[in-house]
Amino acid sequence: MNIRRLAAIALLLLFWNGSFAQSSERFAGLHLDFHATLQDSGIGKHFTAELIDSMLRITRPDFIQVDCKGHAGISSYPTTIGNPAPAFDKDILALWREVTRRHGIPLYVHYSGIWDTRAIELNPHWARINADGKPDNNAISLFSGYTDSLLIPQITELATRYQLDGIWIDGDCWVLRADYHPEAQKAFKNIHGNVSVPLKPGDSLYFEWMEFHRKAFRDYIVRYTHAGHHASAAFKVTSNWSFSSLMPEPVDVPVDYLSGDVAGANSLYSAAFESRSLALQGKPWDLMSWSFAWKNNSKATKSVLQLQQEAAQVLAQGGGFQTYWQQNRDGSPEPYQFRKMAEIVQFCKDREAFTFKGETVPQIGLLFSTYTWRRHQTQNLYAAHYQQGIKGVLNMLLDSGLPADILMDHHLEGRMDRYALLVIPEWPEIDPAIRVRLLQYVNNGGRLLVIGAEAVRDFTQELGVTVSDTLKRNVGLFAGVGEKIMLTHTSFQPFVGGQGVATFGKQMEADDLRFVTSNALASAKDYGRGKIAGIYFDMAAFYNKNQNPLSRALLQAVVKNLEPGIVSYITSAAKAHQSVTRKNGKTYIHLINPNGPHNNPNVLVYEELPPVTHIKVDIHMASKPGSVKLQPGNRKLPYRYRNGILSVAVDRLEVYEIIEIE
C-alpha cells in the first residue's frame, strides 16, 4: 500500500471520528437558544448525540453557543444550583459537551443575567425596585443576594461540572435601570450624604445617580468574571452588548471578549454600525446576526444572501461572526437549517485569512460623543438612545463609498491626528475639552465637518458664519443641490457666510429651480493649516427613513472641498460600501454590495441581490505594489499605478470582494 493511499485512509478515519482541526478563536460560530420555561417538560426528547454529530460535520463552526438559561430564568439542563425545567428526557448540555469535545469545537452557553423572572418569583426580595416604588417582575437588583447566591454558583457549575469553554451572558446591560432597592439607596447616601435620592431627570444629583448605577454594573461584571476565571482559567466570559454602542465606555473590566446580537430588521446597516462601535475597543469581538427576519408580526428564515451581506460588514472590520438559530422546545436544533448554517460558516472561513483581526486604516472618524450620550438619558442606563444622528451620517458616508470608523470619546487620545477627516454627527453639544482638542487638530492641518442645526452653533466663529439667535425646528425645507430638490421636515439653522467661506446647496422656496433663496445649506473655510465645514440642517433621521441621492450629493461635495486625503476613493458611480484594513503587512480594500430591500419595512426575506458593476477605486500608495489580487480566490487584478495613485477596476460585485495589495 503506497504512502498516498495510507494518508487518504488516515484523513478519512479522522473525518469519521469527528476529529476536525478547529480554531480556538471565536471567528465563525453558531448560536442556538430557546429560553426554556416551566411548560417545557420534555427537554431532550428528540435530542441525540447522532443529531449533533451530524450538525457539526455539516456546519464545522469554530465555536458554538447553546441554551442554558433564558430570560424566564429556567435552566434547560438539570442544574443542581439554579431553577431547572420540570422534567428532562436527557441532559442535553452534557450531550452538547460530549459531541463538541469529540469534534474539538469550543462550547459556550447563553445565560440570562439581570433578566431572571423565575428567580424573582422565588425570591421577591431580589427584585429591582423602580422609581414608583414597585418591584420589577423581571429584573434583578444588583444590590440583592442574586449574584452570590445564584449567578456565581451557577457559572461555577457550568465551568467545572460541564467543563464548558465560556459563557455569553444576555439580558444584562440593556436591562439595567435605576434601582431604588433599599440597599442601593443606602450605598448612594454613603457616598453623597443624607440626600434625597433623585427620581427623574432634572432632580438634584440625577446624573450622579445614573453614574452610581453604571459603576455598580461594572462591579457586578467584575465579580462574575473573576468567579468564572477562578473556576477555570480557560473559561471565557462576556456580557452581551457591554462596551458597545449601548455602553460606549472604555473597557475597564476583565471580560475576555465583546459581543452583541443584531436583530432581524434592517440588519445590514445595523451590522455596519455595531461592528464599528466594537472594532476599536481593544478586545477580541464578534457580532451575531439573527438568522430570521421578524417584521409585521411575521417571522421567516433569512436567505443566505441576506446573512452574507451582514457577515460582510462584520468581517470587513476585523471581527468574528455568528448566526443565531432557534432550538425546538425539546432543545434539539432544526436539521433542515444545517446546510444554510454551513454556507454562512464557509463564507466566513473563505475570508478569514484576509479579515480576522485586521486593523482598520484611519481615514474618516465619526465622533460618538459619550459625553452627550450620558447627558441625554432615558430610563435604561445602557440603551440605543440618541443615536439617530450618528447612524444616519454613517449610512450616508457608506452609501457614498467613503470608509469610516466610529470614535468614542476615549478613542481620541493618541489616535485623533491619524484621521484625515473627523465628523461631528448632529450631537447638540460635545465635551468642551474635546472641542478644544478638535480645533487644535484642525489648526494643525486636520479636517473637521460639523453636521446638524444645533451642532454648528458651537462652531460659528471657527466656521466664519453668523447665525440667528434661534434655529428653525421641524420646518419644511426645500433643499437643492445642483438640479436635485428634496422636501424634508427637519431643523435648519440659516447662516450668513463671512470672508473666505465657500457655500454648498441652496434652500428653495418651492420645488422649482427658479425659486432659490439666499440661504445655503453648507459651508467650508480654511482654519489654521486645516479646514472646517458645516452642514446646517439635521439630515440623518430623514435619510434613515428616506434614502435619497441629494443628501449624499451634498455630503460628497463638502467632503471633496475639504480635500482630506482619504486613502481609498470609489471614483465610479457604483454604490458600494468600503472599508480599508491592514493585516500581515498587506492592505485590504473591502467592497460590500449594499443592495437589496433589507431596509424595506414591507419585505421580510429576499433571495435575489442585484450585483454592483464597474467599480473603480483609486488608492493612494507611496510606491508601486508588488501584486494586486481579488480575494478570496487569489485572482490577479489588472491595475494602473501613476503619480502615487493605484487605480483598480472590479467588474462585478455579487456580495463581498476584497482587493489585496502587497
Side-chain angles (χ1 to χ4, degrees):
M1 188 177 291
N2 63 37
I3 293 176
R4 287 185 181 179
R5 190 174 180 188
L6 282 170
I9 291 174
L11 286 172
L12 185 63
L13 288 172
L14 280 174
F15 176 82
W16 285 111
N17 285 329
S19 301
F20 304 129
Q22 295 292 335
S23 169
S24 62
E25 303 277 10
R26 289 176 57 92
F27 175 62
L30 299 172
H31 172 103
L32 300 96
D33 69 49
F34 67 107
H35 293 259
T37 70
L38 287 174
Q39 286 70 50
D40 294 317
S41 59
I43 293 175
K45 183 176 182 180
H46 302 289
F47 191 104
T48 65
E50 291 76 17
L51 176 63
I52 304 309
D53 185 77
S54 174
M55 173 188 171
L56 297 182
R57 288 179 185 278
I58 292 170
T59 60
R60 301 184 69 175
D62 290 327
F63 69 95
I64 191 166
Q65 288 175 186
V66 299
D67 192 82
C68 165
K69 182 184 77 137
H71 301 328
I74 304 301
S75 294
S76 57
Y77 71 99
T79 176
T80 60
I81 292 165
N83 301 307
F88 297 88
D89 281 24
K90 302 181 188 75
D91 184 345
I92 64 173
L93 186 56
L95 283 172
W96 278 115
R97 176 70 285 179
E98 174 190 329
V99 182
T100 54
R101 180 180 286 120
R102 191 188 311 150
H103 284 261
I105 295 175
L107 177 63
Y108 295 73
V109 285
H110 167 271
Y111 184 105
S112 188
I114 291 175
W115 189 346
D116 189 322
T117 305
R118 184 60 174 165
I120 292 172
E121 289 174 351
L122 298 175
N123 304 274
H125 54 289
W126 285 358
R128 178 178 67 205
I129 306 300
N130 294 322
D132 60 5
K134 296 178 181 178
D136 194 297
N137 293 328
N138 298 309
I140 292 289
S141 171
L142 300 183
F143 300 88
S144 71
Y146 165 79
T147 305
D148 291 327
S149 300
L150 178 58
L151 174 62
I152 287 177
Q154 201 162 11
I155 289 175
T156 302
E157 177 185 53
L158 294 165
T160 56
R161 176 182 164 195
Y162 287 90
Q163 297 182 356
L164 301 180
D165 295 279
I167 192 167
W168 193 86
I169 296 185
D170 196 9
D172 232 19
C173 75
W174 52 272
V175 182
L176 189 69
R177 293 188 179 187
D179 183 3
Y180 293 83
H181 191 284
E183 291 300 318
Q185 297 193 49
K186 179 181 176 181
F188 184 73
K189 290 181 179 182
N190 284 340
I191 298 170
H192 294 280
N194 190 25
V195 296
S196 296
V197 175
L199 298 175
K200 62 184 184 303
D203 287 354
S204 177
L205 296 178
Y206 188 78
F207 179 80
E208 289 77 9
W209 179 236
M210 297 295 103
E211 290 295 289
F212 165 78
H213 282 90
R214 292 192 181 103
K215 182 180 185 303
F217 178 71
R218 293 194 299 272
D219 291 345
Y220 152 82
I221 294 179
V222 169
R223 288 169 64 199
Y224 70 63
T225 302
H226 279 323
H229 293 162
H230 178 74
S232 170
F235 192 75
K236 294 183 178 179
V237 181
T238 199
S239 173
N240 182 26
W241 286 123
S242 62
F243 306 103
S244 67
S245 69
L246 276 65
M247 190 177 173
E249 301 172 345
V251 182
D252 58 357
V253 303
V255 290
D256 298 288
Y257 63 101
L258 305 179
S259 187
D261 58 315
V262 175
N266 198 17
S267 300
L268 177 86
Y269 287 110
S270 294
F273 174 70
E274 302 299 350
S275 295
R276 286 165 173 79
S277 298
L278 290 168
L280 299 181
Q281 285 288 58
K283 284 281 185 179
W285 65 277
D286 58 73
L287 204 62
M288 177 201 304
S289 280
W290 290 16
S291 67
F292 49 92
W294 208 334
K295 296 180 184 179
N296 305 322
N297 203 30
S298 300
K299 170 178 170 272
T301 303
K302 295 176 184 175
S303 69
V304 170
L305 276 172
Q306 284 177 272
L307 292 169
Q308 286 175 340
Q309 281 184 291
E310 296 167 31
Q313 296 284 6
V314 180
L315 302 184
Q317 296 301 306
F321 182 73
Q322 54 176 316
T323 43
Y324 165 30
W325 309 81
Q326 293 181 310
Q327 293 167 256
N328 294 310
R329 299 316 305 170
D330 73 333
S332 62
E334 301 168 339
Y336 84 100
Q337 303 280 24
F338 293 173
R339 290 294 175 189
K340 191 171 282 189
M341 296 177 185
E343 286 189 61
I344 303 303
V345 169
Q346 192 59 50
F347 177 86
C348 296
K349 290 189 174 185
D350 287 344
R351 291 158 178 80
E352 180 176 8
F354 321 111
T355 66
F356 190 42
K357 296 187 176 180
E359 296 184 358
T360 60
V361 175
Q363 296 185 84
I364 297 176
L366 200 56
L367 181 63
F368 192 133
S369 178
T370 303
Y371 175 93
T372 309
W373 173 87
R374 279 179 171 152
R375 284 157 177 78
H376 290 265
Q377 191 60 59
T378 64
Q379 288 185 329
N380 286 65
L381 281 106
Y382 291 118
H385 67 275
Y386 221 75
Q387 295 178 3
Q388 284 303 306
I390 189 170
K391 288 178 178 177
V393 172
L394 175 65
N395 294 346
M396 280 186 282
L397 288 167
L398 296 179
D399 287 350
S400 299
L402 295 168
D405 291 342
I406 287 177
L407 301 174
M408 299 173 188
D409 287 355
H410 61 277
H411 293 149
L412 295 174
E413 185 66 37
R415 186 181 272 124
M416 178 187 296
D417 293 337
R418 296 165 60 191
Y419 283 84
L421 169 63
L422 296 176
V423 181
I424 299 175
E426 299 185 8
W427 298 110
E429 74 277 336
I430 60 172
D431 185 338
I434 288 177
R435 182 187 183 279
V436 171
R437 292 169 59 195
L438 285 171
L439 292 176
Q440 291 172 343
Y441 155 84
V442 180
N443 191 58
N444 292 334
R447 268 63 173 165
L448 177 65
L449 171 58
V450 186
I451 300 176
E454 289 187 82
V456 293
R457 293 172 66 87
D458 270 351
F459 292 88
T460 54
Q461 180 177 346
E462 293 79 15
L463 288 164
V465 302
T466 302
V467 300
S468 59
D469 291 337
T470 58
L471 57 81
K472 297 181 178 181
R473 298 183 184 275
N474 196 27
V475 296
L477 174 67
F478 282 101
V481 177
E483 295 186 353
K484 297 180 177 72
I485 301 177
M486 176 182 70
L487 173 62
T488 174
H489 284 82
T490 187
S491 295
F492 175 51
Q493 175 61 73
F495 72 95
V496 177
Q499 186 175 1
V501 173
T503 60
F504 309 86
K506 287 293 183 182
Q507 180 187 11
M508 320 294 289
E509 291 181 344
D511 190 7
D512 191 322
L513 291 171
R514 295 174 299 167
F515 303 114
V516 179
T517 74
S518 60
N519 290 325
L521 304 176
S523 73
K525 173 184 186 296
D526 291 341
Y527 184 86
R529 296 198 298 274
K531 283 190 172 186
I532 184 170
I535 296 178
Y536 294 78
F537 67 101
D538 293 346
M539 57 199 310
F542 182 81
Y543 187 84
N544 285 342
K545 294 182 178 179
N546 306 277
Q547 290 189 11
N548 63 86
L550 183 142
S551 296
R552 295 195 299 270
L554 178 63
L555 183 63
Q556 289 168 331
V558 175
V559 170
K560 183 177 180 181
N561 179 273
L562 289 173
E563 301 175 320
I566 294 171
V567 170
S568 177
Y569 279 99
I570 295 177
T571 58
S572 59
K575 182 182 175 183
H577 290 185
Q578 73 155 320
S579 299
V580 183
T581 64
R582 289 200 179 100
K583 181 181 178 181
N584 297 330
K586 299 176 183 178
T587 298
Y588 293 97
I589 313 296
H590 304 261
L591 300 174
I592 300 169
N593 181 349
N595 289 330
H598 44 81
N599 57 346
N600 187 329
N602 299 315
V603 174
L604 192 64
V605 173
Y606 57 93
E607 295 182 325
E608 295 181 352
L609 188 63
V612 182
T613 58
H614 307 299
I615 304 171
K616 296 181 180 178
V617 186
D618 280 356
I619 305 142
H620 291 262
M621 304 287 293
S623 59
K624 185 177 180 179
S627 70
V628 180
K629 297 175 183 176
L630 199 61
Q631 302 289 6
N634 217 32
R635 294 159 285 170
K636 287 187 177 181
L637 273 178
Y639 65 88
R640 184 187 68 187
Y641 181 79
R642 183 182 300 171
N643 299 325
I645 303 293
L646 172 67
S647 298
V648 181
V650 176
D651 292 334
R652 189 177 181 89
L653 173 63
E654 298 288 351
V655 179
Y656 176 29
E657 302 282 5
I658 306 165
I659 300 172
E660 179 186 74
I661 305 166
E662 186 173 6

